Amino acid sequence: MKRKINLMSHLVAGYPTDEKAFIAAKALVDGGADILEIQLPFSDPSADGPAIQSACTQVLKRGYKTKDGLSFISQLHKTFPDLKIYLMSYASLVYTPGIQEFCKKASEAGISGMIIPDLPFDFDEGLTKACKENNMINIPVAAPSMSKERLKKMANAGFPYIYAALRTGITGTDTVIEKSTLEFLQKVSAGGSKIYGGFGISNGEQSKVLCNYVDGIVAGSVFVRIITENQNDDSALYQKVKEKAQELCEIN
């Protein structure tokens, strides 16, 4: 009998087009994804591997702007009104227009959570406060490279959710889940926050190992690669994205 684990699936807004990204989003939802994490394309990412970097570059070459990404998210929210949508971006895109103003627009687009990996949880320029004021949550990112003291401080800071990066470095290569990985997850969850575990998740075996340690898994590059490989065949794109989502969230 199969069990279900929550899946947060990552997409780059507008990649390779808004229409094809929407097909991918529908496939993810139909495949069992509980959360769509939509990334605003960014020119100089600090955590993204080659697949996501390349996707961002291609979208930006079209002149894609933040307002286009928010419009895409708004369309998703109207189509899937009961689905959680989190926005993933980098600090400069959020800070430049003003964090309060950005959060207001994000909330209006249907976003319920923000993941900004290069804004430290305790020096976030007012992001957590602005999220609360606009009925969203800020989801900080914990990494294995953090000191014990800092990790403990984050774990006990009262965040509803924390995104635990399962290894240091960039996304895109498969992560080997070791004893130290699971110990790290236990430390992140020690203060009562629910945990999303991601970075290098690409198969159901990883989901099976993680299911008792996280509230949900996060997968991104694996979907971006599938979209890239099938961007000229809408039917194959839909089917393969859906199948991969099912593999990741339905555990034997």
Side-chain angles (χ1 to χ4, degrees), residues 166-198:
L166 300 176
R167 56 172 167 76
T168 56
I170 58 176
T171 63
T173 55
D174 281 351
T175 295
V176 178
I177 300 165
E178 302 173 315
K179 182 181 177 183
S180 59
T181 311
L182 302 180
E183 290 173 346
F184 165 67
L185 290 171
Q186 288 175 324
K187 291 175 184 176
V188 179
S189 63
S193 299
K194 293 182 178 179
I195 307 302
Y196 297 124

Side-chain angles (χ1 to χ4, degrees), residues 43-55:
S43 59
D44 189 25
S46 58
D48 298 320
I52 293 176
Q53 285 188 37
S54 176

Side-chain angles (χ1 to χ4, degrees), residues 66-241:
T66 295
K67 65 179 176 60
D68 299 314
L70 291 177
S71 177
F72 172 71
I73 291 169
S74 180
Q75 182 187 4
L76 284 178
H77 177 61
K78 289 173 183 174
T79 306
F80 308 108
D82 298 323
L83 191 75
K84 285 184 181 178
I85 300 177
Y86 294 159
L87 182 142
M88 182 264 162
S89 186
Y90 289 95
S92 65
L93 290 184
V94 179
Y95 183 81
T96 300
I99 285 179
Q100 182 65 241
E101 178 64 20
F102 187 94
C103 285
K104 181 174 181 292
K105 289 182 178 179
S107 179
E108 289 170 351
I111 292 162
S112 54
M114 302 274 284
I115 301 171
I116 314 296
D118 56 343
L119 264 182
F121 75 96
D122 48 355
F123 295 96
D124 69 1
E125 303 293 341
L127 178 63
T128 299
K129 181 174 181 289
C131 282
K132 287 180 180 177
E133 291 172 353
N134 288 279
N135 299 310
M136 300 187 297
I137 57 172
N138 177 30
I139 304 168
V141 179
S145 57
M146 294 173 70
S147 67
K148 290 180 181 179
E149 294 77 14
R150 190 162 175 73
L151 190 58
K152 184 177 180 181
K153 183 179 179 183
M154 177 188 280
N156 289 280
F159 290 101
Y161 292 91
I162 296 174
Y163 183 136
L166 300 176
R167 56 172 167 76
T168 56
I170 58 176
T171 63
T173 55
D174 281 351
T175 295
V176 178
I177 300 165
E178 302 173 315
K179 182 181 177 183
S180 59
T181 311
L182 302 180
E183 290 173 346
F184 165 67
L185 290 171
Q186 288 175 324
K187 291 175 184 176
V188 179
S189 63
S193 299
K194 293 182 178 179
I195 307 302
Y196 297 124
F199 260 53
I201 299 301
S202 63
N203 61 70
E205 287 304 310
Q206 292 168 309
S207 300
K208 191 173 182 178
V209 175
L210 288 169
C211 66
N212 293 323
Y213 295 86
V214 299
D215 187 68
I217 58 166
V218 188
S221 293
V222 63
F223 291 120
V224 174
R225 286 193 290 267
I226 292 171
I227 293 166
T228 301
E229 292 164 3
N230 297 278
Q231 60 184 301
N232 296 319
D233 184 338
D234 290 355
S235 178
L237 189 158
Y238 172 85
Q239 192 60 35
K240 292 186 178 184
V241 168

